[in-house]
Amino acid sequence: MDFSYIEFPSTVSLNVLKAYVDLKKCKLPKIQGLSWQDAGGHQVLANQPKSLRHLVLDSIANNWNETPIFEEVPRKEDRNYIVNNLDVNLPLKILSSRIKDEFFWRKIYQHRWKTLYYKKYNNNAEQPHHHHHHRHRHQANTSETKGKKATRKPWINIYMERHLEEFIENVTTTDYEQENVQATLDICATYINQLEINYLQTSMDGQHDHIPLDFILSNLPELHTLRLTYCTKTIGMNFYLGCNVLSQRDTLLLARGLSRCHELKSFCFHNTKLEPHQLRLFAHSLDKGCHHLNTLALPHCALGDEGIRQFLDACHSESFSTLKYLDLTNNKLSAEGAYILSGVIKDLSLEELILRLNPIGSNGATTIFSILDCLPIKNLDISGCLLTDSITKAFMQLVVTNKSLICIDISNNVLGKDFGKHLIKVIGFNRKIINIDLHNTGLTQEHRNQFKEFLRQN
């Protein structure tokens, strides 16, 4: 068999091919004008005249823009040949409608962004991985994770999601035209499962407006994960006070868009200052439209106690009944905010609660502890919350009585050595907890080593 003209996908390495073919019966692809070896094991020139079959396939590939033929070609080897020789700069609309081949979309993704890495901050909305909410890349061709098989997203979806994200991030308010947006959505919408918008261009007229997201969100029927911020990163010399503010128009349009995201399961709105009346509107929209929401994150949004009150006032007894994960990192919540929050979340089915960097103090934390036995809570983060050793009694009671907590982060609080002595006495009563983060709490290294030993047994 002659592989000199690469009749297998070019993303398959030569080492893989050599593992599956009989080298005595085939010619491998040409490298710098030479085949690797012929049937006798000797290198031979690979510049022999092409066969009629290859000439026909070359003609199909060269004229593909006018006559896009792919699935009509019966042999897989011939389709692979076309994929390897097809121009990656052909119109996206034609490519997406005619080709679903994984190797092709992986190839053009790598050609456009010079990488094979893509965002995977929340690939499975029902099992969120939210301990690190910054943008990060994971290798996309990993098909298995340790211990279980993972389902990898098709490369065409990966390509389309990044294509739409860049379109939204780079379009300005003056260039925004609904016809152009509609044309992009016609190509991408059916492939969009998640979006991560890391910045938006602000208007230069002093109105603080950004592009309207209601039309875009309303036309993404498969969207289940949305991560969004209205911060601006590329304003340059056009900076003015308030350019990162969420305007009243932005608020109304985003709320309208969220109310139409009926498949949304995970929503993260971060690094954008939110006023109480805006929170009330967003709560109403999420409750109205997102009936499957299981992850809600509002980190670094300066909500304050009044913001939490307004958000929860817009809810009723059945609101957010599917919520499993709540992240309120760094939102200026005091003990009063913790009290307001505890009155509502005790009726939910939360499995993870993140309150780090909120000055709730020992009184606020005690209030939160008092309702945790009502929840199937597994992970609790109260690091950097201005806790003192006055929390000792309440925390020891939590450790002894709670039967669901697996991980607790209480680091960066001033707890002291006595806290460690009491914890040593009660830690053995809980066989469920496997991790307690006690960094920067004033505990001795000896106590921390003892805790590690207890938790290792769990």
Side-chain angles (χ1 to χ4, degrees):
M1 186 177 295
D2 186 356
F3 285 110
S4 297
Y5 293 112
I6 312 182
E7 297 179 9
F8 63 94
S10 59
T11 47
V12 176
S13 71
L14 288 171
N15 286 336
V16 171
L17 182 69
K18 289 161 70 175
Y20 285 93
V21 299
D22 187 348
L23 298 179
K24 296 180 180 179
K25 298 180 180 179
C26 70
K27 295 180 183 178
L28 292 181
K30 55 183 177 181
I31 303 296
Q32 298 177 345
L34 297 174
S35 287
W36 276 48
Q37 53 189 322
D38 60 11
H42 305 290
Q43 278 195 333
V44 296
L45 291 175
N47 57 356
Q48 296 93 347
K50 287 189 175 183
S51 67
L52 177 60
R53 170 172 157 263
H54 288 121
L55 292 174
V56 170
L57 293 175
D58 285 342
S59 178
I60 291 175
N62 293 335
N63 295 280
W64 208 82
N65 196 17
E66 293 77 23
T67 310
I69 300 174
F70 186 72
E71 291 297 339
E72 296 85 350
V73 178
R75 295 179 71 239
K76 184 173 179 60
E77 292 85 351
D78 294 340
R79 293 197 298 272
N80 288 339
Y81 185 90
I82 293 173
V83 161
N84 279 289
N85 290 275
L86 206 56
D87 184 3
V88 296
N89 296 313
L90 287 168
L92 188 59
K93 184 176 182 179
I94 300 177
L95 292 174
S96 62
S97 63
R98 301 291 296 180
I99 297 180
K100 301 296 187 292
D101 185 87
E102 277 286 274
F103 295 107
F104 178 76
W105 287 102
R106 176 181 170 181
K107 171 186 173 182
I108 67 171
Y109 183 98
Q110 185 176 24
H111 177 268
R112 178 171 173 178
W113 288 292
K114 312 304 179 187
T115 181
L116 280 180
Y117 290 76
Y118 77 106
K119 298 180 303 301
K120 193 181 177 184
Y121 57 90
N122 188 14
N123 197 32
N124 184 351
E126 296 182 0
Q127 295 179 346
H129 309 283
H130 301 280
H131 291 293
H132 304 283
H133 273 293
H134 57 277
R135 188 173 193 166
H136 55 288
R137 308 279 179 182
H138 289 263
Q139 197 164 11
N141 60 348
T142 300
S143 61
E144 291 188 3
T145 57
K146 188 174 181 179
K148 68 175 182 178
K149 191 173 183 179
T151 56
R152 183 177 52 77
K153 187 183 300 184
W155 273 102
I156 187 171
N157 292 58
I158 298 169
Y159 183 97
M160 292 298 185
E161 286 173 358
R162 190 162 182 181
H163 174 75
L164 181 60
E165 287 167 2
E166 289 195 357
F167 175 83
I168 294 172
E169 290 175 349
N170 295 317
V171 67
T172 64
T173 53
T174 54
D175 294 335
Y176 180 90
E177 293 182 3
Q178 190 163 308
E179 290 184 1
N180 294 338
V181 176
Q182 184 66 67
T184 301
L185 291 173
D186 287 342
I187 299 172
C188 300
T190 57
Y191 304 102
I192 306 300
N193 301 128
Q194 64 184 45
L195 276 182
E196 180 181 4
I197 309 303
N198 284 285
Y199 59 90
L200 289 170
Q201 306 287 350
T202 188
S203 63
M204 295 294 107
D205 56 7
Q207 299 298 316
H208 319 316
D209 292 332
H210 301 77
I211 64 168
L213 292 182
D214 60 326
F215 180 75
I216 296 174
L217 295 178
S218 301
N219 285 275
L220 298 176
E222 304 299 325
L223 185 67
H224 64 59
T225 300
L226 175 63
R227 178 172 163 83
L228 174 67
T229 179
Y230 274 75
C231 72
T232 302
K233 296 183 179 179
T234 57
I235 197 166
M237 297 299 292
N238 296 313
F239 175 82
Y240 60 89
L241 290 177
C243 61
N244 278 337
V245 173
L246 183 68
S247 71
Q248 186 62 24
R249 177 175 177 268
D250 292 331
T251 303
L252 295 173
L253 294 177
L254 177 58
R256 183 190 303 170
L258 290 174
S259 67
R260 298 172 182 173
C261 291
H262 302 302
E263 298 301 320
L264 196 65
K265 296 180 180 180
S266 176
F267 177 52
C268 175
F269 197 8
H270 66 100
N271 293 85
T272 305
K273 185 177 180 180
L274 298 176
E275 300 296 335
H277 69 276
Q278 294 172 327
L279 283 160
R280 187 181 187 93
L281 188 58
F282 290 147
H284 178 73
S285 298
L286 290 169
D287 185 38
K288 176 184 177 182
C290 308
H291 298 149
H292 307 293
L293 195 69
N294 57 44
T295 297
L296 177 61
L298 299 170
H300 315 294
C301 290
L303 308 183
D305 295 340
E306 184 58 28
I308 285 292
R309 188 191 304 275
Q310 292 274 355
F311 187 93
L312 297 178
D313 281 349
C315 305
H316 53 83
S317 60
E318 297 182 359
S319 297
F320 302 106
S321 59
T322 59
L323 198 64
K324 302 291 184 185
Y325 174 93
L326 179 62
D327 183 357
L328 297 174
T329 296
N330 189 25
N331 275 303
K332 302 181 179 179
L333 301 184
S334 69
E336 181 184 356
Y339 176 77
I340 297 169
L341 183 66
S342 65
V344 175
I345 63 175
K346 64 182 176 60
D347 297 321
L348 302 179
S349 299
L350 284 185
E351 295 180 2
E352 190 163 356
L353 177 61
I354 312 296
L355 292 174
R356 67 188 183 96
L357 301 180
N358 286 292
I360 61 175
S362 296
N363 291 337
T366 301
T367 303
I368 296 296
F369 291 165
S370 67
I371 55 99
L372 292 184
D373 286 345
C374 304
L375 304 174
I377 193 80
K378 294 180 180 178
N379 299 319
L380 175 66
D381 189 341
I382 49 173
S383 59
C385 289
L386 299 185
L387 307 187
T388 64
D389 58 358
S390 60
I391 197 68
T392 301
K393 182 177 179 181
F395 189 79
M396 301 311 146
Q397 184 176 353
L398 176 71
V399 171
V400 172
T401 62
N402 192 276
K403 304 302 180 185
S404 61
L405 273 169
I406 296 175
C407 298
I408 303 175
D409 188 344
I410 197 171
S411 60
N412 297 292
N413 292 293
V414 185
L415 303 178
K417 297 179 180 179
D418 288 342
F419 181 92
K421 293 177 181 178
H422 285 90
L423 189 55
I424 284 290
K425 296 177 182 178
V426 303
I427 192 69
F429 293 101
N430 191 311
R431 309 304 301 176
K432 192 78 174 179
I433 297 177
I434 60 174
N435 182 38
I436 301 180
D437 193 335
L438 293 164
H439 287 95
N440 299 327
T441 55
L443 273 69
T444 64
Q445 186 65 44
E446 180 183 357
H447 281 158
R448 288 171 57 183
N449 290 336
Q450 287 180 287
F451 295 141
K452 288 181 181 179
E453 185 59 35
F454 278 117
L455 297 177
R456 188 180 294 114
Q457 294 174 9
N458 287 355

